[in-house]
């Protein structure tokens, strides 16, 4: 008998892995044998996954909650499955899909069924990843058409900005000197100056209309 491991993955540090950890606990896996990555499933360049693969020996077993927790790239999933089962001679069990348990029926028919189910689920997982990216891109494009701006909001202007700005506009100092006095990069000072000037113009127009 080999060692039983669990592999858990969430896509970001903000996401909660408790549901997967509970599933691992219910299978009887020791917590020290559960490897957790908080990283995208687009590839397998993940530190804890790589540690697990390096430790894996013949007759060991890896549990994953679902195939998309292993990864979301069709070709990569198939390659890692091959490495685990054929190079390492270990087993894999996907908790949410009992057919994907390489300990079952290690004959030609059993292997064929497992490979077929794996190929289908891997394709579905990658297709979902592609669809998520497409929906995100479409959502961002739609928001931009509505005038939504993305990125961090600029911080407040330094107290000396109006005075430095006026001296710069009167060409008493260079943009480099002005930026230095305001504690900004030159490009930032120039960008904030344009916005400051536009805000002043808008305010003047508003007063004229009143």
């Amino acid at each position: 008998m080999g060692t039983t491991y669990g592999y858990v993955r969430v896509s970001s540090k903000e996401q909660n892995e408790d549901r997967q950890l509970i599933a691992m606990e219910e299978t009887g896996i020791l917590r020290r044998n559960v490897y957790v990555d908080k990283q995208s499933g687009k590839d397998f360049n993940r530190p804890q996954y790589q540690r697990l693969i390096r430790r894996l020996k013949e007759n060991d077993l890896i549990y994953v909650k679902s195939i998309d927790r292993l990864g979301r790239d069709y070709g990569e999933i198939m390659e890692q499955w091959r490495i685990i089962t054929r190079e390492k001679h270990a087993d894999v069990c996907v908790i949410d899909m009992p057919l994907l348990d390489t300990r079952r029926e290690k004959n030609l028919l059993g292997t064929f069924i497992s490979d077929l189910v794996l190929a289908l689920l891997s394709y579905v997982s990658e297709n979902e990843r592609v669809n998520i990216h497409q929906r995100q891109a479409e959502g961002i494009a739609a928001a931009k058409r509505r005038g939504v701006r993305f990125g961090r909001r600029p911080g407040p202007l330094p107290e000396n900005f109006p005075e430095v700005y006026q001296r710069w506009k009167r060409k008493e100092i260079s943009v480099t000197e002005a930026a230095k006095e305001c504690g900004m990069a030159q490009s930032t000072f120039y960008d904030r100056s344009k916005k400051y000037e536009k805000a002043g113009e808008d305010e003047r127009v508003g007063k004229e209309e009143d």
Side-chain angles (χ1 to χ4, degrees):
M1 291 291 291
T3 304
T4 300
Y5 297 101
Y7 180 69
V8 169
R9 184 188 67 79
V10 289
S11 296
S12 69
K13 293 180 179 179
E14 290 73 29
Q15 292 183 334
N16 194 307
E17 68 273 21
D18 287 352
R19 183 176 64 88
Q20 295 177 66
L21 290 174
I22 290 170
M24 298 300 157
E25 185 179 334
E26 289 174 347
T27 65
I29 303 172
L30 298 175
R31 182 63 183 85
R32 65 173 180 265
N33 287 340
V34 177
Y35 290 75
V36 181
D37 275 315
K38 296 192 174 187
Q39 196 169 329
S40 167
K42 65 180 181 179
D43 58 45
F44 283 83
N45 187 25
R46 310 175 215 136
Q48 293 304 310
Y49 179 80
Q50 292 301 326
R51 280 187 63 199
L52 172 57
I53 293 301
R54 286 195 297 270
R55 177 165 292 187
L56 206 62
K57 308 183 304 294
E58 186 173 356
N59 295 324
D60 285 349
L61 169 64
I62 299 176
Y63 276 98
V64 292
K65 182 74 169 68
S66 58
I67 196 66
D68 64 338
R69 297 305 87 200
L70 185 62
R72 286 190 176 275
D73 181 277
Y74 174 82
E76 289 273 8
I77 293 173
M78 301 298 285
E79 174 62 11
Q80 292 302 314
W81 195 274
R82 184 192 66 79
I83 290 171
I84 294 168
T85 60
R86 298 180 186 176
E87 289 188 11
K88 298 285 187 174
H89 302 288
D91 286 302
V92 189
C93 177
V94 179
I95 296 172
D96 287 350
M97 180 56 63
L99 280 173
L100 284 179
D101 184 345
T102 58
R103 297 170 299 176
R104 299 173 64 255
E105 299 182 34
K106 291 197 173 183
N107 53 35
L108 186 60
L109 179 59
T111 301
F112 172 75
I113 292 173
S114 291
D115 287 350
L116 189 63
V117 173
L118 173 65
L120 177 60
L121 291 179
S122 301
Y123 171 77
V124 170
S125 180
E126 178 171 2
N127 194 53
E128 176 61 15
R129 179 175 67 89
V130 171
N131 288 338
I132 288 172
H133 288 172
Q134 183 176 342
R135 289 194 295 269
Q136 287 174 340
E138 290 172 351
I140 291 171
K144 286 182 176 179
R145 285 197 295 271
R146 296 195 305 269
V148 176
R149 293 185 178 181
F150 293 89
R152 293 185 302 174
R153 291 185 177 182
L157 291 171
E159 292 183 3
N160 66 336
F161 185 87
E163 182 264 331
V164 173
Y165 168 79
Q166 292 298 334
R167 287 165 56 209
W168 172 65
K169 287 294 287 184
R170 293 194 298 267
K171 298 185 179 179
E172 295 175 5
I173 56 175
S174 67
V175 67
T176 303
E177 293 169 323
K180 186 175 181 181
E181 287 190 32
C182 290
M184 298 177 174
Q186 183 173 319
S187 58
T188 303
F189 177 83
Y190 188 69
D191 182 63
R192 299 299 294 272
S193 294
K194 289 194 293 183
K195 293 176 180 176
Y196 180 79
E197 185 173 349
K198 185 176 186 307
E201 290 176 355
D202 291 344
E203 185 178 350
R204 288 193 297 273
V205 169
K207 288 180 179 179
E208 290 172 1
E209 290 177 348
D210 290 343

